[in-house]
Amino acid sequence: MKKQLLRLPLQFILTCLGLFLFSGAGSLLMYDHELVIHIAKYIHTLQLIGKDLLDPGSIFVQVEADGKEYPIFPMMLKLFGYSFLLLVTSFFIAVVSAAVLSYLAMLLPRRAHRFFLRILELLDSLPDVLVVVFLQLFIIFLFKKTGILFFDIYALGEERIYMLPIFCLAVMPVAFLVKNFLFQLREEGDKPYVEFSFSKGFSKAYTLWVHLFRNVWVSFYYHIKPIFLLMLSNLLIIEILFNINGFMVAMLSTAVSKPSAFFIGMLMVYIPFFLLFSLGQLLLTKYTGIHEEAEA
């Protein structure tokens, strides 16, 4: 526990330093008849970023196609709140859906379970963009047949849409999450306490839900970071396909045009989730005695 408390500040500082160095990477590579590394321009860009950080009020970002520029605050905070409401809501929907599907899959007969795994592999192989486009076309098809637009499929101007982007963002990682749950459930299923539960006369459904899932949730937490990164990249796809002027689109546009704004945006993503993951990790270590290294 003490080792973790000492390691976390160092990890935080090194990551922030890495993000700072990465924020200027757009000026590191240049193409002039051939690809060259431009060290001098890269260092100059880092110096400009440092200068802008001393006066954040001087940083302006262009987040819309009208060409207007806005102060980074509160514009980025506004975009952050909207985009991460979509992300967090869809994340909880995806996790709950994956947990329920995994539980039901474990109760299926062997032949049905194998068929379910094949379907899962097929869904997992589909490109994320294809899934979103298919859902949009399905909504258009329903509108043509019924005359009812069940969900908005495109954002116009300052308009904000929620239902379909959240649904798409939740659907996209479900196959990956279910595979993750099933793998960990099979790992837990070979442990002695499962046989002991069966010997006590408890049913498979009870043992699975009460005992296996309790331990799987602990293991699942330590694999949540790559899942979060997966959904973060999917958020960019969602914002582009739904024409949403969101945080990830703003980050994409500032990556080269305004490196200082890009660095601040990365910190806005990293800091709250670093604190959340670190707190959860410390609590799990304290109450379960399981360390992340043991789960890796």
Side-chain angles (χ1 to χ4, degrees):
M1 186 74 171
K2 291 182 179 179
K3 183 179 178 181
Q4 284 182 302
L5 289 174
L6 293 174
R7 186 185 63 181
L8 288 175
L10 179 61
Q11 178 184 344
F12 176 79
I13 293 172
L14 291 177
T15 303
C16 289
L17 178 60
L19 293 177
F20 176 74
L21 296 175
F22 178 72
S23 62
S27 62
L28 182 60
L29 298 177
M30 297 186 65
Y31 188 82
D32 184 15
H33 301 292
E34 61 181 7
L35 192 64
V36 294
I37 299 177
H38 205 305
I39 300 294
K41 187 173 182 180
Y42 174 66
I43 295 175
H44 179 67
T45 301
L46 294 180
Q47 291 173 342
L48 292 178
I49 294 173
K51 183 180 178 180
D52 286 343
L53 293 178
L54 295 176
D55 184 19
S58 65
I59 304 175
F60 286 77
V61 294
Q62 181 179 334
V63 297
E64 297 179 359
D66 57 7
K68 294 181 180 179
E69 291 191 339
Y70 302 87
I72 188 171
F73 297 113
M75 178 55 70
M76 291 294 278
L77 289 174
K78 179 182 176 182
L79 298 177
F80 182 87
Y82 172 48
S83 292
F84 281 84
L85 174 63
L86 301 180
L87 178 66
V88 172
T89 305
S90 60
F91 174 77
F92 282 109
I93 293 174
V95 170
V96 172
S97 301
V100 172
L101 288 173
S102 303
Y103 175 72
L104 296 176
M106 293 295 290
L107 299 177
L108 292 174
R110 181 172 297 180
R111 182 174 297 180
H113 184 78
R114 290 177 179 174
F115 179 75
F116 176 79
L117 291 179
R118 292 194 186 98
I119 297 297
L120 205 62
E121 290 291 342
L122 176 62
L123 294 176
D124 195 34
S125 65
L126 293 177
D128 294 335
V129 174
L130 181 63
V131 173
V132 178
V133 171
F134 174 78
L135 289 172
Q136 288 178 320
L137 292 176
F138 181 68
I139 296 299
I140 295 173
F141 171 78
L142 291 178
F143 176 70
K144 288 183 175 180
K145 291 296 183 182
T146 64
I148 301 173
L149 184 63
F150 291 92
F151 302 106
D152 291 324
I153 63 171
Y154 206 70
L156 299 175
E158 294 294 326
E159 181 185 3
R160 291 189 171 185
I161 58 176
Y162 294 93
M163 295 300 295
L164 193 58
I166 288 175
F167 181 74
C168 290
L169 195 55
V171 166
M172 290 159 72
V174 162
F176 174 80
L177 289 171
V178 172
K179 289 171 65 176
N180 188 281
F181 269 115
L182 291 177
F183 174 78
Q184 294 182 47
L185 286 170
R186 287 193 291 267
E187 289 283 310
E188 288 291 323
D190 296 330
K191 295 184 178 179
Y193 73 86
V194 177
E195 294 184 7
F196 179 76
S197 177
F198 289 149
S199 68
K200 284 288 188 178
F202 293 118
S203 66
K204 181 178 180 181
Y206 176 86
T207 302
L208 181 64
W209 187 254
V210 175
H211 296 293
L212 269 75
F213 256 95
R214 181 180 60 186
N215 294 328
V216 163
W217 280 116
V218 175
S219 300
F220 177 77
Y221 180 83
Y222 288 111
H223 294 85
I224 207 172
K225 293 179 184 178
I227 295 169
F228 168 73
L229 292 175
L230 171 67
M231 295 194 69
L232 195 62
S233 63
N234 287 343
L235 179 60
L236 176 60
I237 296 173
I238 292 295
E239 290 185 357
I240 292 174
L241 292 180
F242 284 93
N243 194 41
I244 295 174
N245 289 318
F247 183 80
M248 297 303 294
V249 168
M251 288 284 288
L252 183 63
S253 65
T254 59
V256 176
S257 62
K258 205 67 177 178
S260 54
F262 181 64
F263 174 63
I264 292 175
M266 288 192 292
L267 290 182
M268 290 174 65
V269 176
Y270 172 68
I271 291 176
F273 288 97
F274 172 81
L275 295 175
L276 180 64
F277 290 144
S278 298
L279 178 61
Q281 180 181 328
L282 292 173
L283 291 175
L284 283 176
T285 301
K286 179 179 179 180
Y287 291 108
T288 67
I290 300 176
H291 295 272
E292 186 175 4
E293 292 81 5
E295 294 295 330

